[in-house]
Amino acid sequence: MLEQPPVFGAELRRLRMSAGFTLTQFASSVHYSKGQISKIETGQQRATPEFARLCDVVLDTGGTLEALAPKRTRRRPGQFPVPDQAGVMREIPPERPGDAPSPPPSRRQLMAAGAMSVFGIGPTAPPPPAPSDRPLLDAYRTLFDQYRRIGQMSSPRALLPTLAEQTSALRGLAARTSGRTAAGLLNLAARFAEYTGWMAQEAGDEAEAARWTSHAVDLAESAGDRQLASYALVRHALITYYRGESTDTIDLAEGALSSGLPPRIRALAAQRVGQGHALGGDHDACMRRLDQARDLFGRAAAETSESGAPVLGPTHLSDPVSLVRGWCLVDLGRPRQAAEILDVECARLPAHALRNQARYGARRALAHSLAGEIDHACELTGHLLRNTACVGSETIATDLRRLSRVLARHPRRPAYQAVAAPLTAALTPPEL
């Protein structure tokens, strides 16, 4: 639901005229039609927070209009976990005490999901521990890296059953061993569970994402690793970010900025805090956090890990801070600056990283559309839709919906007409 402040339109008109903009000039600057702006100024049409932010940037009004813009009331699909003092999410109970959030899938379920035909593997009884623990741990570590690579090229729904099975298998192996081997296997199980949570979020299931993330924390703590609990705050902050909740995103991610944590976790947390500030329209605070993230990523690269554990967070981005900076500039109402950065950084994404290409490609097309470059945005959209069809991401669809709304303001443009049908098809849920 939208709550429309009655003063927004009148204040926009006053500020526009004070700045010396005619309606035609202002429409050209914010890339809305004169008719749309006129309706907003007269109260016939509701403004969006995105439109208000664009106006604030053009008029240099420091967030005045955004503060008056309609606010979306929060719609929480279900109970969302809040961290306790240790940073662990406890409000979502496990489905069965002491067990994984979801029961291990059967062979029939895996075949139905297509996992066995796609990946050439299936659920089998855990093999007996190897005489030496290192080869066993290395083999599962390599397997985990392969799943993350596969996750860049396939639907999360196809991968979820297999990830759940591997998590269960690792827990079973750990229960039959002891000492460092058991701890190493539990740590890997925790990483599998954390990645399963991310795939659940990509599939559009927030509650399952939260359960798997909490399960990952419990597994890591069983292995003596309490750092994953802090990273879980960063993961949960991503859920609130996609809900459009700036304050919750900042509060959650700031919980992982403690100086006692590894630099990489703090870097990922600083990025997420920056995204939260961008969502709230605070440019300076956002840029400060992104600068902090760059410094922390530099420290993390200089350190060597003796644990052999998989790297937390994205692994297919050569410069995550620059990509996130371009991402945030869209939320901050500076689409032209965003487009310049994203043009450069998207060209550097690996060819096999289809999920990242789709994610940042959608944000890039959105930036160009908001900057008024409609034909170019439509061209970019046509290219990226091939990747979005492969990876089936609900979070990417969030930007595609925004992009669709912007492009739909230009229904007579031939470029839009060429891309309208495939874009609509990409946003239409498949029939079950």
Side-chain angles (χ1 to χ4, degrees):
M1 297 295 293
L2 289 170
E3 302 164 358
Q4 173 64 46
V7 298
F8 181 89
E11 184 65 4
L12 171 61
R13 185 172 187 274
R14 185 188 71 79
L15 291 170
R16 173 180 64 79
M17 296 180 68
S18 296
F21 281 94
T22 65
L23 191 60
T24 299
Q25 291 170 332
F26 191 67
S28 177
S29 297
V30 297
H31 308 295
Y32 275 66
S33 71
K34 289 193 298 181
Q36 288 171 313
I37 295 174
S38 178
K39 289 179 180 179
I40 290 172
E41 288 187 348
T42 57
Q44 299 176 55
Q45 183 172 315
R46 294 175 175 177
T48 65
E50 180 180 85
F51 172 77
R53 195 167 296 165
L54 286 169
C55 294
D56 275 326
V57 171
V58 170
L59 297 173
D60 193 22
T61 45
T64 298
L65 289 168
E66 186 182 0
L68 297 175
K71 301 296 189 298
R72 290 190 182 275
T73 57
R74 295 180 181 178
R75 294 183 301 168
R76 295 178 178 266
Q79 188 180 26
F80 188 75
V82 176
D84 61 17
Q85 291 182 349
V88 182
M89 308 300 166
R90 299 299 186 191
E91 274 65 15
I92 295 183
E95 293 183 358
R96 296 192 303 274
D99 205 349
S102 297
S106 65
R107 185 179 184 86
R108 182 176 181 180
Q109 288 173 319
L110 281 169
M111 294 184 71
M116 294 182 69
S117 61
V118 173
F119 307 122
I121 57 176
T124 58
S132 171
D133 62 339
R134 194 71 257 170
L136 179 66
L137 293 172
D138 287 346
Y140 267 100
R141 165 64 193 275
T142 300
L143 184 63
F144 178 71
D145 291 340
Q146 288 301 314
Y147 279 128
R148 290 217 284 198
R149 186 180 177 92
I150 291 168
Q152 283 288 323
M153 299 179 281
S154 64
S155 164
R157 295 187 184 278
L159 197 55
L160 278 167
T162 307
L163 292 173
E165 174 65 22
Q166 293 303 321
T167 305
S168 178
L170 281 163
R171 291 177 65 234
L173 277 172
R176 294 162 55 186
T177 59
S178 60
R180 292 183 178 180
T181 302
L185 291 169
L186 282 173
N187 264 317
L188 277 172
R191 298 304 173 84
F192 267 94
E194 186 275 323
Y195 186 61
T196 305
W198 167 232
M199 287 293 98
Q201 185 178 355
E202 283 288 85
D205 193 336
E206 289 184 4
E208 194 69 3
R211 290 190 188 96
W212 275 106
T213 302
S214 297
H215 184 51
V217 171
D218 290 339
L219 288 170
E221 286 188 333
S222 297
D225 176 10
R226 293 186 174 274
Q227 294 175 349
L228 194 62
S230 296
Y231 178 67
L233 297 174
V234 182
R235 284 284 302 112
H236 283 288
L238 186 62
I239 295 177
T240 57
Y241 170 83
Y242 276 106
R243 288 182 183 173
E245 299 170 4
S246 170
T247 301
D248 288 352
T249 300
I250 294 168
D251 289 346
L252 282 165
E254 281 185 339
L257 283 172
S258 169
S259 60
L261 293 170
R264 183 169 180 86
I265 291 179
R266 293 165 61 201
L268 294 167
Q271 280 194 153
R272 190 76 74 240
V273 174
Q275 288 179 292
H277 282 303
L279 202 59
D282 192 334
H283 175 273
D284 292 344
C286 172
M287 295 299 118
R288 283 196 301 271
R289 287 304 192 184
L290 295 185
D291 288 341
Q292 180 187 16
R294 186 173 294 283
D295 176 66
L296 288 165
F297 274 124
R299 295 188 207 175
E303 294 185 358
T304 57
S305 173
E306 299 180 357
S307 68
V311 174
L312 286 168
T315 57
H316 299 90
L317 305 179
S318 58
D319 187 353
V321 177
S322 291
L323 277 164
V324 172
R325 190 182 301 273
W327 182 285
C328 289
L329 286 168
V330 175
D331 286 338
L332 288 165
R334 301 166 188 256
R336 196 170 299 280
Q337 296 176 39
E340 291 174 357
I341 294 174
L342 292 172
D343 283 347
V344 173
E345 296 303 324
C346 284
R348 300 172 63 190
L349 292 171
H352 72 272
L354 301 185
R355 188 174 299 278
N356 283 336
Q357 287 188 25
R359 182 176 314 287
Y360 293 101
R363 178 68 46 143
R364 177 190 180 197
L366 177 61
H368 281 285
S369 69
L370 291 170
E373 301 167 6
I374 301 303
D375 289 352
H376 186 45
C378 289
E379 180 184 3
L380 293 174
T381 301
H383 292 312
L384 72 88
L385 287 178
R386 291 192 290 271
N387 291 339
T388 60
C390 294
V391 299
S393 165
E394 179 58 29
T395 57
I396 295 172
T398 301
D399 268 357
L400 288 180
R401 284 188 282 268
R402 290 178 66 185
L403 175 61
S404 179
R405 290 193 295 269
V406 176
L407 295 180
R409 300 203 298 260
H410 308 272
R412 295 175 181 165
R413 298 282 279 265
Y416 170 71
Q417 293 172 358
V419 80
L423 180 55
T424 300
L427 292 171
T428 302
E431 294 184 5
L432 300 179

